Amino acid sequence: MTTEMQADTRAFQAALLDAQTRITAHMDMRLGGTDRLHDAMRYAMVGGKMLRGFLVLESARLHGVDATAALDAALAIECVHAYSLVHDDLPCMDDDDLRRGQPTLHRKWDEATATLAGDALQTFAFELLAADHIGPQALVLIRALAQSAGKDGMVSGQMMDIAAETAGTPLTLDEITRLQARKTGCLIEWSATAGAVLAGADTGPLQAYASALGLAFQIADDILDVEGDASKVGKALRKDETAGKATFVSLLGLEPAKARAEELCDTACAALSPYGEEAAILKDAARFVIARDS
Amino acid sequence: MTTEMQADTRAFQAALLDAQTRITAHMDMRLGGTDRLHDAMRYAMVGGKMLRGFLVLESARLHGVDATAALDAALAIECVHAYSLVHDDLPCMDDDDLRRGQPTLHRKWDEATATLAGDALQTFAFELLAADHIGPQALVLIRALAQSAGKDGMVSGQMMDIAAETAGTPLTLDEITRLQARKTGCLIEWSATAGAVLAGADTGPLQAYASALGLAFQIADDILDVEGDASKVGKALRKDETAGKATFVSLLGLEPAKARAEELCDTACAALSPYGEEAAILKDAARFVIARDS
């Protein structure tokens, strides 16, 4: 990361930290319960970057959305993201022992608890969005979340990923782009547009921003898998290479992958022009995504 | 089952069959897709009794609810029920090989597919309920479904069940009643009240009906585990006894358990009095639940 980039993203990092603090406090208030299931759900949420939740809060701020409704939506998307990680980490999927520098949920408790905590986190996301105070746009958000997270969105991306691994045939660039659009892109788009949806405003600019950001995010993830420091990232790295899995880096090469990520970052920032200076922090977020070291 | 009971429940069985046909056709229309994920989701749904979906359709009929909205809600609750069975059958939970007389989903495909198909079935349920045409009551239904299925409902019941098995201390009658109210009762109550909710009507009578029905259903399940024919039930039986698990039968004794189920059936039927003759088929359903052989 260059010094200039560090300066650029400092304001964003402060905003991200603030989002993490607010979303975590909101979770403590909304989640309740002290039994094993609630403890496991909380454990799955803690220590995440909460980039998706941040995008919700920021797009809500841009559209003057009520703060509590925005926090409910931000918490909801973090619940969905956390559930997907808990299930992905299971032995029958990616079989990971470490997540965010801590034992994965099934390592900390057991597989049954991880399966159920993941299930309950997904349900809780919809419960949060169906809260009375969110207003009539809640149904639009719920419908979009179900479409983004479900059988034609995130879960189908994960299924494609597993099917490709089982088949042993590396994916092409087109296939991996499609897979990642579903596995990662859909939820990022939901997050970045949530504020506009809640305000009943045009989602176009944020949709274009998020679409480029989502792909840049995944390319950066693949670069991180090759160049990253596992102790900073908090999970096992170089797994893709070991597994002979196609990634943006293996398909494009390291330097072209970096150039592509930069290009997508520029596209994302350009899409925000209708918001002018108000969107500075979202532009910083895009720069952070391609320059992060964890 | 006595001949009198068979006669009593014949009309109900025809209505149940009709509900199964309509819900399955609705699923074929709504689900789409021909990939492994969609195939697995379909597989998880087929062959079920669809009692919960039937309850939705019947309570919707009682309140003059639009047929498509009712079918969406009926399909949604069957998706949630199917997802819970797929995850419950996993090796890390009940480790079952047979369900509805067919290999369980993880036996037919693998554990990753079963985990993901279960996840996607849950998401799909919320997608169905968030459809535009359901109307403003959709949010109430979604909120109630999330509460019934989630961390303080079905999933918590399943967690209590697993925790009790791990602890090795059989549950008391109070504890098992509480557990079953969450694990089974919540979704049955959601189903039976869905029509009243969609119509914005009083849910009281159907709530009281479903509360008694849910408990009767579970007692009948425990009786079936002792007295049933595995080839008719379509899953492994006598597992509770082998595992030394407390059930209504082990706690009450076989005959008192049967008497309690009869009593609950009477309570359920009495609660329907505001509906008069219109509720005859729901009364038959209660009689069927305690007399079924599968």
Side-chain angles (χ1 to χ4, degrees), chain A residues 172-193:
Chain A
T172 64
L173 189 60
D174 264 8
E175 286 168 336
I176 210 168
T177 305
R178 200 142 29 92
L179 184 159
Q180 293 300 348
R182 293 185 166 212
K183 194 175 164 185
T184 319
C186 285
L187 288 200
I188 289 182
E189 289 174 31
W190 185 92
S191 307
T193 54

Side-chain angles (χ1 to χ4, degrees), chain B:
Chain B
M1 205 193 272
T2 65
T3 316
E4 192 191 341
M5 264 183 187
Q6 281 172 338
D8 270 345
T9 61
R10 210 174 298 149
F12 160 73
Q13 291 192 56
L16 182 63
L17 194 63
D18 180 59
Q20 288 164 7
T21 309
R22 290 170 62 210
I23 296 168
T24 305
H26 197 67
M27 174 189 76
D28 289 340
M29 191 178 76
R30 285 275 192 262
L31 187 59
T34 53
D35 54 12
R36 174 159 54 146
L37 183 60
H38 285 83
D39 286 347
M41 290 169 76
R42 239 184 308 272
Y43 183 82
M45 300 282 291
V46 168
K49 277 190 296 294
M50 301 199 175
L51 178 68
R52 290 158 191 78
F54 161 83
L55 290 172
V56 171
L57 295 183
E58 196 53 27
S59 80
R61 191 189 62 77
L62 280 178
H63 290 93
V65 168
D66 164 73
T68 309
L71 275 169
D72 279 328
L75 181 55
I77 196 68
E78 288 299 331
C79 287
V80 171
H81 180 54
Y83 119 69
S84 78
L85 297 181
V86 169
H87 283 188
D88 280 8
D89 286 340
L90 283 170
C92 68
M93 305 253 252
D94 292 353
D95 194 12
D96 276 308
D97 297 329
L98 213 58
R99 167 72 65 187
R100 297 163 177 173
Q102 299 291 326
T104 46
L105 209 152
H106 65 274
R107 282 291 187 181
K108 172 90 175 170
W109 279 274
D110 51 44
E111 287 180 49
T113 306
T115 305
L116 292 172
D119 289 344
L121 278 166
Q122 179 176 191
T123 325
F124 187 47
F126 288 104
E127 185 178 341
L128 286 163
L129 291 176
D132 236 351
H133 60 268
I134 294 191
Q137 288 301 104
L139 266 186
V140 185
L141 264 196
I142 290 169
R143 187 157 58 234
L145 181 59
Q147 286 163 349
S148 303
K151 66 189 180 57
D152 303 306
M154 185 183 71
V155 175
S156 82
Q158 180 64 8
M159 190 85 240
M160 287 159 77
D161 205 3
I162 283 173
E165 261 180 74
T166 315
T169 329
L171 298 173
T172 64
L173 189 60
D174 264 8
E175 287 168 336
I176 209 167
T177 305
R178 200 141 31 91
L179 184 158
Q180 293 300 348
R182 294 186 165 211
K183 193 175 163 184
T184 320
C186 284
L187 288 200
I188 290 182
E189 288 174 30
W190 185 92
S191 307
T193 54
V197 170
L198 281 170
D202 176 22
T203 57
L206 287 169
Q207 183 72 51
Y209 163 79
S211 165
L213 182 71
L215 189 51
F217 184 88
Q218 194 52 47
I219 296 175
D221 227 44
D222 287 351
I223 295 170
L224 211 51
D225 190 65
V226 174
E227 287 195 326
D229 175 345
S231 69
K232 282 190 185 166
V233 180
K235 64 177 180 182
L237 296 177
R238 331 269 185 262
K239 283 188 69 174
D240 295 342
E241 200 182 334
T242 316
K245 221 169 133 175
T247 69
F248 288 107
V249 173
S250 75
L251 290 166
L252 294 169
L254 184 57
E255 289 311 317
K258 287 181 179 175
R260 181 80 184 108
E262 292 272 4
E263 209 178 278
L264 285 161
C265 177
D266 292 343
T267 306
C269 293
L272 295 172
S273 60
Y275 293 102
E277 267 316 292
E278 275 295 300
I281 207 94
L282 283 179
K283 291 181 187 171
D284 288 351
R287 285 183 204 106
F288 170 81
V289 155
I290 60 164
R292 70 204 153 98
D293 59 6
S294 71

